[in-house]
Amino acid sequence: MNIDLTETTSSQINAALVKARRATGTPAVGMVLTLVIVTDEGNHYDALKAAREASKEHPSRTLVVIKRPGRSPRDRRMARLDAEVRLGGETSGETVLLRLHGELANHAHSVVLPLLLPDAPVVVWWPEEAPDNPVEDLLGQLAARRITDAAATEDPVGTLRQRAETYSPGDTDLAWTRITPWRSMLAAALDQRHSKITSAVVEAEAYNPSSELLGMWLADRLGVPVERVVSDGPGLTAVRLETEDGTICLDRHNGSLAELAMPGQPDRHVALNRRDTAELIAEELRRLDPDEMYAAAIKFGVTKLGSQVAEERVPPSSDARSDASSDAEAGGAGSAAEAPRKTTAAKTGAAKTTAAGKTAGAKPKARKAPAE
Amino acid sequence: MIPMSARGDNPLRDAQDRRLPRIAGPSGLVIFGVTGDLSRKKLMPAVYDLANRGLLPPGFSLVGFARRDWADEDFAQVVHDAVKEHARTPFREEVWQQLAEGFRFVPGEFSDHQAFENLKTTIQDLDKARGTGGNFAFYLSVPPKFFPTVVEQLKKHGLSEGTEDSWRRAVIEKPFGHDLASAQDLNQVVHQVFRPSDVFRIDHYLGKETVQNILALRFANTMFEPLWNRSYVDHVQITMAEDIGIGGRAGYYDGIGAARDVIQNHLLQLLALTAMEEPSSFDAKALVTEKLKVLKAVKLPRELGKHTVRGQYAHGWQGGEEVLGYLEEEGIDSGSRTDAYAAIKLEIDNRRWAGVPFYLRTGKRLGRRVTEIAVVFQRAPHSPFDTAETQELGQNALVIRVQPDEGVTIRFGSKVPGTSMEIRDVTMDFAYGESFTESSPEAYERLLLDVLLGDANLFPRHQEVEQSWRILDPIEAYWDKHGKPEQYTAGTWGPRAADEMLARDGRSWRRP
């Protein structure tokens, strides 16, 4: 059931929700959370589609905040709220599209606040542009969980640095969610007996913040230098852990079936599928407490990671953006050309300072080098 | 050779890291009787679903053992078909590819020494080729009469003991005997070969989310537990009803009956979880301690004739279909006294429950398929409303719907809108499908994973099995000597005697 409301208010929307629920004959409210998606007219369709998929696992009230500040000064001065209430159909939850015109675009929280489910947690998701400091944002303040996506930004690595600076419990990033299968497979590999790990390498295509996060997580947990190597993708392609007996290698070159090699053991295939956004959101919504592992990984510091010129590999020229919506680790790998980067191995502990010193200046600049 | 000893100090694991799932260590599963229904409909799909969710270790291997002239590929094809038809999660080629590399089939009979030698070689090969590390679980999906042969063969061929720190586990399905003596015999046979802690008895009810939720409901909340005792609870009804008949299971069912088939395991486990005290922690040992304690406190009614009922469904119409009566089913002797319906009253002799009856019932060809636990509360000791006003008010109840439509319902009185004071029952409802994932894992997924992880929380231990038989044996003995099952029309809620049994106590069965 769809109800269109123009020039409306939050209380009229609430009334419409009650009416729609009665009309569909499901007066019981089994929804477990309110998901607020902050986006624009161009991106709301994909985000909403993912949220709808995810709401099969987490029945929720989805509020899509679409900001339309307007182009002309006259448009910007006026303020109007249009809403579209969608209920029933395939999803178990409720969806409200909120179009905030003009000046109202700056006061989204005033519209959202009355529409939150009583007592249920609130999650805010910025599929594209997120505020610099999510927790300070007026919408972010309403939420227990704030989901950003570094892969969707212009400068993914720079964004990671920013997220580390402004981290506050409850923040999380889809670039981190994307690597859960990798992390779990690596942890399973280390459940088996192995000799001491001395260093690690993370190999992924360029502009993929997931690889930085995976690298920082490994460096933080293992206390060894981690290098970052650029490959042709798709997404993450390999993780190599050097041990005294040889290399533990998890290698995935086709984006779905990976090979796990451990010293003294037969090589084995493991399924390591790239997941779509709906699955990522569903995973995010499964736990709403602060993700301390993410905090530890992101605070480790991007600059402390080593990176390596991948033997002057020729960057792929194909446009990866079409792939990026149904993406996985790839994220915003829009412009595929990559910049050669300096090699430095970062060390934790005693060697930390030197490593940090070496990379500090080189890193961000190298990232931004001519990419087209 | 590759033990899990590193698990404790794995730097990549952290208790705070709750995104990482529990993945079983290197291991494999051997299924005896792999051509059976259970194996095709439940086990194989569960293995695939686990793999699809990324919960199986890399190199996980599945070995089938049966009397079929199959090659590995034929076996893989059978699993493929089973997975396609019955798996819960979507079919993904890369998951299948990874999994199928580890499929092996060993043809042979249980008495065939060569076949078990082949099995041993297969396992050793898998250790080399797939890195299963010598860790294997043997799933005995075979009738219990074969248990002794199979476990002895396993012992004889050195399959029941792992080397160094690898493990070997046995998984067995109900029935765990047909009375106390046979259950003890069975346990002895199995325990001669496997350590008690390495034997996993599957009661698939315990793998269900709703059953695990009983503990969460009771012990993670504050609003239910204060009422959960004789001061507030009037009685408890535990029902497991099936709408099907015995189908092709005449050979197994006749002589066993509903009480042995369902009450001894499923319903007494549900009773234990509903009535037990809070365990000191949520581990296998603490749980079994509490469950055992409450099972030991179970008291049978003095007059078994008045407080137990059995029945057989008679020819009738059920849900628009004409169905056969129990005695008309193929393979059933027309003079059979087997119970296709059983209802019993139990009491629990402890401070919490003294005087609160627990009514357990199960049967085939009942109104609909449903399993539920209904905790029925006492009426208010005094009501300011007069009887006319509360005429339509029943007793408050909390109903845990185990299956289908999993959830919890609370029933209480509410004023009917209008000028007069009139109070009527209303319900408050929590449904899993509404608040949680639309597809919670199948019980077998959870249980298989727990076997591979060595987590025994959700498996009844042999002491519980034996204690349950101690409860049921006197009833069966009484039934053996007295009377015969009462006939009830198929598609109804059981024999009239069952209604009379509750009426005698001034109560009535809830219509589930």
Side-chain angles (χ1 to χ4, degrees):
Chain A
M1 172 168 196
N2 277 18
I3 301 176
D4 278 322
L5 300 164
T6 41
E7 295 195 47
T8 187
T9 61
S10 295
S11 60
Q12 283 172 16
I13 296 170
N14 261 327
L17 279 168
V18 173
K19 193 173 137 203
R21 230 187 283 133
R22 286 232 167 141
T24 53
T26 48
V29 191
M31 292 173 288
V32 292
L33 55 90
T34 308
L35 174 64
V36 182
I37 306 174
V38 187
T39 177
D40 54 38
E41 202 65 71
N43 292 306
H44 83 271
Y45 181 79
D46 285 339
L48 186 56
K49 206 168 122 198
R52 212 179 299 143
E53 258 328 289
S55 82
K56 286 184 183 163
E57 184 172 327
H58 310 277
S60 51
R61 175 175 289 177
T62 308
L63 305 175
V64 188
V65 176
I66 302 167
K67 295 186 179 178
R68 304 184 66 161
R71 294 194 184 282
S72 67
R74 201 175 131 260
D75 281 352
R76 280 199 293 275
R77 260 204 313 282
M78 62 106 157
R80 195 178 93 217
L81 173 63
D82 293 344
E84 197 181 326
V85 175
R86 296 179 186 169
L87 210 96
E90 279 177 33
T91 51
S92 42
E94 304 167 335
T95 305
V96 184
L97 267 68
L98 302 162
R99 287 190 168 82
L100 279 51
H101 299 269
E103 174 63 18
L104 187 59
N106 299 324
H107 305 279
H109 64 283
S110 74
V111 177
V112 168
L113 185 68
L115 296 176
L116 300 177
L117 289 172
D119 240 9
V122 179
V123 178
V124 177
W125 172 31
W126 291 274
E128 311 282 326
E129 284 301 311
D132 288 345
N133 188 349
V135 76
E136 302 261 289
D137 182 83
L138 286 172
L139 280 173
Q141 278 177 1
L142 297 173
R145 191 87 164 176
R146 294 166 295 275
I147 306 171
T148 53
D149 189 357
T153 60
E154 192 66 38
D155 172 17
V157 178
T159 307
L160 285 187
R161 251 201 316 278
Q162 168 110 39
R163 296 273 170 264
E165 276 165 30
T166 60
Y167 175 84
S168 150
D171 285 3
T172 173
D173 198 286
L174 291 187
W176 171 251
T177 322
R178 289 186 181 98
I179 59 175
T180 305
W182 282 81
R183 295 197 304 122
S184 98
M185 199 44 74
L186 289 168
L190 294 198
D191 276 340
Q192 302 171 45
R193 183 175 289 163
H194 57 88
S195 52
K196 195 172 155 38
I197 297 166
T198 52
S199 69
V201 176
V202 177
E203 208 182 279
E205 69 185 318
Y207 297 98
N208 184 351
S210 291
S211 65
E212 266 78 15
L213 277 166
L214 185 56
M216 289 192 282
W217 176 66
L218 288 169
D220 179 47
R221 301 301 302 182
L222 298 173
V224 298
V226 177
E227 265 178 45
R228 163 84 173 77
V229 173
V230 173
S231 73
D232 294 349
L236 280 161
T237 49
V239 171
R240 271 185 274 279
L241 306 175
E242 297 297 337
T243 73
E244 282 155 4
D245 293 344
T247 311
I248 299 174
C249 176
L250 186 58
D251 190 318
R252 181 192 72 182
H253 269 103
N254 62 3
S256 68
L257 194 64
E259 202 170 85
L260 175 67
M262 293 190 71
Q265 281 192 44
D267 290 358
R268 288 166 296 203
H269 282 125
V270 292
L272 212 55
N273 210 23
R274 312 177 73 203
R275 302 180 297 167
D276 59 28
T277 315
E279 285 177 81
L280 301 177
I281 289 295
E283 177 185 322
E284 273 311 318
L285 300 183
R286 235 164 265 158
R287 296 207 153 269
L288 298 175
D289 48 347
D291 189 340
E292 288 168 34
M293 283 299 112
Y294 168 69
I298 197 154
K299 283 182 183 164
F300 179 81
V302 187
T303 46
K304 283 188 230 150
L305 281 186
S307 69
Q308 197 179 58
V309 186
E311 283 89 46
E312 298 302 326
R313 214 183 287 203
V314 183
S317 53
S318 64
D319 186 3
R321 190 171 285 283
S322 58
D323 178 52
S325 58
S326 68
D327 75 342
E329 294 84 358
S335 39
E338 74 231 13
R341 259 154 287 153
K342 293 259 182 309
T343 310
T344 18
K347 295 216 181 207
T348 51
K352 236 178 208 170
T353 41
T354 45
K358 264 189 210 165
T359 23
K363 235 4 238 297
K365 292 232 173 67
R367 267 291 187 189
K368 282 189 182 157
E372 42 179 340
Chain B
M1 79 192 182
I2 312 291
M4 298 158 50
S5 57
R7 211 164 240 278
D9 47 4
N10 184 347
L12 294 187
R13 292 220 183 263
D14 189 305
Q16 293 297 327
D17 199 345
R18 284 178 290 250
R19 284 179 198 256
L20 297 194
R22 307 186 305 162
I23 297 188
S27 54
L29 178 69
V30 180
I31 304 179
F32 292 100
V34 76
T35 50
D37 250 17
L38 177 85
S39 164
R40 278 189 305 108
K41 287 189 183 150
K42 297 288 183 188
L43 301 182
M44 292 171 183
V47 165
Y48 172 81
D49 288 331
L50 282 174
N52 202 3
R53 290 163 66 208
L55 300 179
L56 291 182
F60 176 84
S61 303
L62 178 68
V63 182
F65 187 109
R67 202 179 51 196
R68 285 282 199 292
D69 199 12
W70 284 350
D72 292 347
E73 297 77 46
D74 304 322
F75 176 55
Q77 188 56 45
V78 171
V79 185
H80 185 270
D81 296 345
V83 166
K84 276 253 161 129
E85 194 177 341
H86 299 289
R88 180 175 64 85
T89 55
F91 190 83
R92 285 189 187 148
E93 193 56 40
E94 73 275 3
V95 175
W96 172 253
Q97 233 176 307
Q98 164 207 0
L99 197 60
E101 287 168 10
F103 289 164
R104 302 287 183 275
F105 186 76
V106 179
E109 305 210 10
F110 299 137
S111 55
D112 182 355
H113 292 294
Q114 189 52 46
F116 277 82
E117 272 309 305
N118 292 346
L119 179 60
K120 190 175 185 178
T121 332
T122 305
I123 285 179
Q124 285 164 345
D125 287 349
L126 283 173
D127 284 347
K128 279 195 210 97
R130 305 271 298 163
T132 37
N135 301 314
F136 278 88
F138 298 100
Y139 199 116
L140 275 64
S141 182
V142 297
K145 65 178 177 203
F146 294 117
F147 282 8
T149 329
V150 176
V151 295
E152 269 154 38
Q153 286 279 34
L154 289 175
K155 190 185 168 108
K156 201 181 224 163
H157 295 273
L159 287 161
S160 59
E161 300 232 348
T163 47
E164 294 164 49
D165 8 301
S166 67
W167 50 258
R168 296 290 159 94
R169 294 177 184 138
V171 187
I172 55 180
E173 281 269 349
K174 69 162 196 184
F176 312 120
H178 53 86
D179 58 14
L180 179 60
S182 59
Q184 283 171 331
D185 286 349
L186 179 74
N187 285 336
Q188 208 186 349
V189 165
V190 180
H191 291 170
Q192 263 172 6
V193 178
F194 291 95
R195 276 179 304 161
S197 57
D198 286 334
V199 182
F200 291 75
R201 289 170 186 76
I202 296 245
D203 182 335
H204 66 271
Y205 260 69
L206 298 190
K208 287 190 184 296
E209 288 290 337
T210 32
V211 173
Q212 295 167 42
N213 190 43
I214 297 174
L215 297 180
L217 180 90
R218 290 190 54 198
F219 302 125
N221 297 305
T222 50
M223 54 192 283
F224 303 115
E225 201 55 18
L227 310 179
W228 216 259
N229 55 52
R230 63 186 306 262
S231 310
Y232 295 95
V233 175
D234 180 62
H235 69 283
V236 177
Q237 299 183 9
I238 304 180
T239 304
M240 178 179 156
E242 289 175 282
D243 54 2
I244 50 167
I246 55 164
R249 290 169 74 226
Y252 161 74
Y253 201 83
D254 201 38
I256 294 288
R260 287 195 181 102
D261 189 38
V262 174
I263 293 184
Q264 185 271 339
N265 36 61
H266 304 321
L267 294 196
L268 284 177
Q269 283 289 331
L270 292 182
L271 175 138
L273 291 171
T274 310
M276 70 185 211
E277 298 296 319
E278 187 171 23
S280 59
S281 70
F282 194 60
D283 65 27
K285 225 172 159 186
L287 276 171
V288 78
T289 309
E290 290 305 335
K291 282 201 280 178
L292 208 53
K293 217 165 85 188
V294 75
L295 286 175
K296 280 184 177 162
V298 167
K299 194 181 73 175
L300 291 179
R302 204 170 301 139
E303 288 182 81
L304 287 177
K306 280 191 177 164
H307 300 292
T308 67
V309 169
R310 61 197 157 137
Q312 288 174 340
Y313 53 90
H315 193 109
W317 285 80
Q318 181 186 40
E321 256 185 317
E322 191 173 3
V323 296
L324 293 177
Y326 180 75
L327 297 176
E328 299 163 330
E329 296 268 12
E330 203 185 318
I332 301 289
D333 179 51
S334 59
S336 169
R337 292 170 66 219
T338 302
D339 47 316
Y341 174 98
I344 60 175
K345 172 185 175 181
L346 297 175
E347 288 196 16
I348 298 175
D349 243 358
N350 61 19
R351 183 170 280 249
R352 189 192 278 263
W353 295 115
V356 178
F358 282 70
Y359 300 104
L360 275 49
R361 63 171 163 168
T362 181
K364 299 214 175 271
R365 290 264 182 246
L366 295 179
R368 69 186 184 97
R369 171 175 165 266
V370 60
T371 303
E372 63 168 40
I373 301 165
V375 179
V376 182
F377 293 94
Q378 296 167 11
R379 283 181 185 279
H382 166 78
S383 168
F385 309 107
D386 68 37
T387 39
E389 289 165 346
T390 55
Q391 200 142 41
E392 286 180 76
L393 178 66
Q395 279 168 286
N396 295 164
L398 187 148
V399 182
I400 298 169
R401 302 192 305 271
V402 176
Q403 75 170 17
D405 187 23
E406 294 81 354
V408 180
T409 301
I410 296 179
R411 188 180 67 183
F412 56 94
S414 174
K415 181 184 175 300
V416 181
T419 46
S420 66
M421 178 51 84
E422 193 187 329
I423 297 165
R424 189 187 289 171
D425 282 336
V426 295
T427 57
M428 218 153 61
D429 203 82
F430 153 67
Y432 271 82
E434 217 174 88
S435 297
F436 292 119
T437 153
E438 62 173 13
S439 55
S440 20
E442 266 281 328
Y444 276 96
E445 279 176 69
R446 174 70 200 265
L447 295 175
L448 277 182
L449 182 62
D450 280 1
V451 168
L452 298 178
L453 288 163
D455 196 342
N457 270 358
L458 302 177
F459 300 86
R461 284 294 176 198
H462 66 100
Q463 302 97 315
E464 294 168 60
V465 173
E466 291 176 10
Q467 190 55 39
S468 303
W469 283 120
R470 281 191 195 104
I471 295 169
L472 195 62
D473 276 357
I475 297 175
E476 291 284 353
Y478 177 87
W479 285 349
D480 240 11
K481 294 206 190 73
H482 301 82
K484 60 180 188 119
E486 184 187 324
Q487 300 286 316
Y488 61 92
T489 313
T492 63
W493 283 105
R496 197 168 308 134
D499 297 333
E500 286 161 10
M501 170 180 137
L502 258 73
R504 223 167 274 142
D505 293 348
R507 302 191 173 94
S508 63
W509 290 108
R510 194 185 122 77
R511 181 166 42 76

